[in-house]
Amino acid sequence: MDALHEVAVRVATRAAEHVRLRRPQVFDGTSNEGDGAVQSKSTPTDPVTVVDTETERVLREMLAQLRPEDAILGEEEGSEDDSLDGVRWVLDPIDGTVNFMYGIPAYAVSVAVQIDGVSVAGAVVDVARELVYSAALGRGATVQRTDGTREHLACSGVTDVSMTLLATGFGYGSRRRAVQGAIISELLPQVRDIRRIGSAALDLCMVASGAVDAHFEHGLSPWDWAAGALIAAEAGAVVRLPAANSTSAQGAATVAMAPGISDDFLAVLRSAGALDPIPG
Ligand code: IPD
């Protein structure tokens, strides 16, 4: 487990250096569209940049050297087979690609390692803030800074849903967004406030650090949550996850919340219909 954790931190940190180096080369002096460096995926507003593609290559090449026997699922290149058996790395080279394009400093490299579909270690590197969040199953979660200091992460102590700062996000398709918008309009009067940070992996790390009290979103893919949800859970969050082999199209809800609100917050989400999947 320690060895897997070490590899997750090492490859995610190296990939984050690549992302940091390449952003000014690709986007400075151009529009947010990066002069041909951006293409669309599932919808015209769902982007992939050359840096997403390159960074997944960086991760895959490192893992091929360090862990040649293991399977890999990556956001940009997918996986060779759908099996959950054995050791599998789940990679998001840039989570928060829209922020990355626009220069909003909230995007991350996310690397999880799963055994039989269960995340056992993970690292999320906040590229702009140079923070390395990581966790190993049963061993707690930490954040490490560039000066080498490391802190244990713990969720907030909030006990009242009406005082909950809730991070959420939206899919890229307009039909799902319409339902997500309706759910948010039901939740907004019941919580302290809502944040749309733009990176689910960072939302989950912020639940872990207590920077927000809860996160929920429909239709996340395993690479969005596989590392961040472990980090949140190891920091004490109550998490409710899609199946390990779920696809974004199935639209299942991902929820992570501080333990003091979990029962009440789940009840609020249930009554808003927010625990039901929103296929899209
Ligand atoms: C996206 C981010 C965003 C979430 C979207 C994800 P991407 O990932 O995590 O916060 O709301 O659902 O797709 O596309 O930037 O890797």
Side-chain angles (χ1 to χ4, degrees):
M1 185 93 73
D2 287 344
L4 292 173
H5 179 231
E6 203 178 296
V7 171
V9 170
R10 186 161 153 199
V11 301
T13 304
R14 167 73 195 92
E17 280 165 21
H18 183 81
V19 174
R20 191 174 302 116
L21 177 83
R22 290 289 283 141
R23 187 174 190 284
Q25 296 172 350
V26 174
F27 288 99
D28 271 19
T30 71
S31 72
N32 293 330
E33 295 305 315
D35 279 351
V38 183
Q39 295 189 325
S40 295
K41 293 197 290 187
S42 61
T43 71
T45 56
D46 178 6
V48 54
T49 75
V50 291
V51 188
D52 294 72
T53 314
E54 290 167 10
T55 307
E56 184 159 324
R57 270 281 108 213
V58 168
L59 288 164
R60 283 179 181 268
E61 281 165 17
M62 283 191 84
L63 288 171
Q65 283 187 349
L66 295 166
R67 302 282 314 175
E69 306 298 320
D70 300 347
I72 297 178
L73 168 68
E75 175 171 18
E76 311 309 340
E77 292 185 36
S79 63
E80 279 187 356
D81 68 64
D82 293 336
S83 169
L84 295 176
D85 295 345
V87 181
R88 179 175 83 149
W89 295 83
V90 183
L91 313 176
D92 193 339
I94 303 181
D95 187 58
T97 301
V98 174
N99 286 345
F100 174 72
M101 288 165 54
Y102 281 75
I104 296 168
Y107 44 90
V109 176
S110 174
V111 174
V113 54
Q114 298 183 327
I115 298 181
D116 300 337
V118 175
S119 294
V120 296
V124 173
V125 182
D126 180 331
V127 178
R129 295 174 71 208
E130 302 191 53
L131 298 175
V132 182
Y133 297 91
S134 73
L137 189 62
R139 311 225 171 141
T142 61
V143 60
Q144 183 159 5
R145 300 191 164 70
T146 43
D147 63 6
T149 55
R150 183 192 292 256
E151 270 171 40
H152 282 277
L153 294 169
C155 293
S156 84
V158 67
T159 55
D160 184 345
V161 171
S162 70
M163 296 305 283
T164 292
L165 186 59
L166 171 61
T168 191
F170 308 108
Y172 289 110
S174 53
R175 270 194 297 177
R176 177 177 290 155
R177 283 186 162 212
V179 182
Q180 289 176 313
I183 290 170
I184 288 295
S185 72
E186 274 207 43
L187 296 177
L188 185 54
Q190 302 187 62
V191 296
R192 179 197 281 270
D193 212 339
I194 303 244
R195 295 289 180 269
R196 197 294 192 242
I197 287 152
S199 161
L202 290 179
D203 286 352
L204 290 161
C205 291
M206 290 173 73
V207 172
S209 71
V212 298
D213 301 306
H215 161 80
F216 95 100
E217 181 170 347
H218 290 87
L220 291 177
S221 299
W223 46 80
D224 297 310
W225 56 258
L230 174 67
I231 293 166
E234 287 294 323
V238 176
V239 299
R240 195 175 187 276
L241 298 175
N245 56 359
S246 66
T247 64
S248 171
Q250 290 162 347
T254 299
V255 186
M257 60 220 144
I261 50 165
S262 62
D263 291 347
D264 292 347
F265 186 58
L266 282 173
V268 166
L269 289 177
R270 191 169 289 112
S271 77
L275 297 181
D276 303 329
I278 312 174

